[in-house]
């Protein structure tokens, strides 16, 4: 069963920030929020993950609400190459239950 | 640079042929590797968890005798699709994880399998 819900699609203009929402209202205390993306015909690419604090790396920022029931992935300056399916996944850190379960994701289309 | 190498990237073969796909961890020793399958316009579905030195754990509905997994070393896992048929045509993707801590899974570039 999917533990996250995402809108099916969204678009944004090139150069603008893309804010991708994700709901995970049943997240457990030991589960992290992970974001991956998949560009057509390629394997998924890791973007970022977090537990409860906001995180930022060279690709994106992850904002997690205080109650941890939702999060937002922010691509600060979207480019055409950011067009992809973005997956929000909750996962226990390590151990036998550390497998990723992919939902349908959100298709982001960046327009010129 | 790439963390995972998957080979081949594309295979086209006749029905009844067995096909072997390799997944190599380049950056670290992977005690666990995962195999996924993705049909067109669908999401990734986990097929099995491959553990070095032990038998793989298959997800419900995945035939272990059809999809043979060997994880003989800490850097290599193989998936063999035995007696492949057209319905096995799919995009097969492996991932590796460093089991020492809270590290993300890294994925290969996938293998596009087409059975004629």
């Amino acid at each position: 069963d999917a533990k996250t819900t995402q809108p099916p699609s969204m678009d944004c203009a090139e150069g603008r920030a893309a804010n991708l929402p994700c709901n995970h209202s049943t997240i457990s205390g030991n589960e992290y929020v992970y974001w991956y993306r998949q560009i057509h015909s390629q394997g998924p690419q890791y973007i970022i993950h977090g537990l409860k604090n906001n995180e930022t790396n060279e690709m994106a920022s992850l904002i997690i609400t205080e109650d941890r029931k939702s999060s937002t992935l922010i691509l600060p300056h979207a480019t055409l190459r950011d067009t992809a399916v973005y997956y929000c996944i909750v996962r226990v850190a390590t151990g036998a239950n550390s497998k990723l379960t992919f939902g349908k994701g959100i298709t982001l289309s960046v327009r010129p | 640079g790439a963390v995972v190498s998957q080979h081949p990237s594309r295979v086209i073969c006749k029905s009844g042929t067995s096909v072997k796909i390799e997944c190599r961890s380049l950056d670290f020793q992977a005690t666990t590797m995962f195999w996924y399958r993705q049909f067109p316009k669908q999401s990734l579905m986990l097929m099995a968890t491959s553990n070095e030195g032990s038998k793989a754990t298959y997800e419900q509905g995945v035939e272990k005798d059809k999809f043979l997994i060997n994880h003989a070393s800490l850097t290599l896992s193989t998936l063999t699709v035995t007696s492949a048929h057209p319905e096995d045509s799919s995009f097969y993707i492996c991932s590796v994880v460093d089991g020492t801590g809270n590290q993300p899974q890294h994925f290969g570039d996938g293998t596009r399998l087409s059975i004629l």
Side-chain angles (χ1 to χ4, degrees), chain A:
Chain A
D1 293 338
K3 298 190 68 173
T4 65
T5 55
Q6 300 176 255
S9 63
M10 68 176 292
D11 62 19
C12 75
E14 189 177 20
R16 304 297 293 269
N19 298 311
L20 285 68
C22 180
N23 286 322
H24 32 79
S25 59
T26 60
I27 191 170
S28 300
N30 63 345
E31 288 181 315
Y32 288 70
V33 179
Y34 281 77
W35 283 84
Y36 284 80
R37 73 180 182 184
Q38 186 177 26
I39 296 170
H40 183 61
S41 294
Q42 296 182 24
Q45 176 188 22
Y46 166 77
I47 301 174
I48 199 167
H49 74 282
L51 182 62
K52 55 183 178 181
N53 297 324
N54 297 337
E55 302 288 345
T56 296
N57 63 20
E58 64 278 4
M59 291 183 68
S61 294
L62 174 61
I63 308 298
I64 303 174
T65 57
E66 192 169 344
D67 63 7
R68 303 213 317 129
K69 293 185 177 182
S70 66
S71 61
T72 301
L73 179 74
I74 301 173
L75 307 180
H77 304 287
T79 70
L80 298 178
R81 288 178 294 181
D82 292 322
T83 292
V85 178
Y86 288 75
Y87 298 98
C88 170
I89 302 168
V90 295
R91 171 201 167 210
V92 176
T94 59
N97 293 323
S98 65
K99 60 186 179 183
L100 295 172
T101 301
F102 286 80
K104 296 182 179 180
I106 178 172
T107 299
L108 173 67
S109 300
V110 180
R111 61 181 186 274

Side-chain angles (χ1 to χ4, degrees), chain A residues 32 34 36 38 41-44 46 49 87 91 93-94 98-100 102-103, chain B residues 34 36 38 43-44 46 59 91 93 97 101-105 107-109 112:
Chain A
Y32 288 70
Y34 281 77
Y36 284 80
Q38 186 177 26
S41 294
Q42 296 182 24
Y46 166 77
H49 74 282
Y87 298 98
R91 171 201 167 210
T94 59
S98 65
K99 60 186 179 183
L100 295 172
F102 286 80
Chain B
F34 299 92
Y36 295 81
Q38 185 176 33
S43 189
L44 282 79
L46 180 66
E59 295 298 303
F91 191 49
I93 311 167
V97 60
N102 179 26
Q103 300 298 322
Q105 283 187 33
F107 288 80
D109 284 336
R112 178 77 57 191

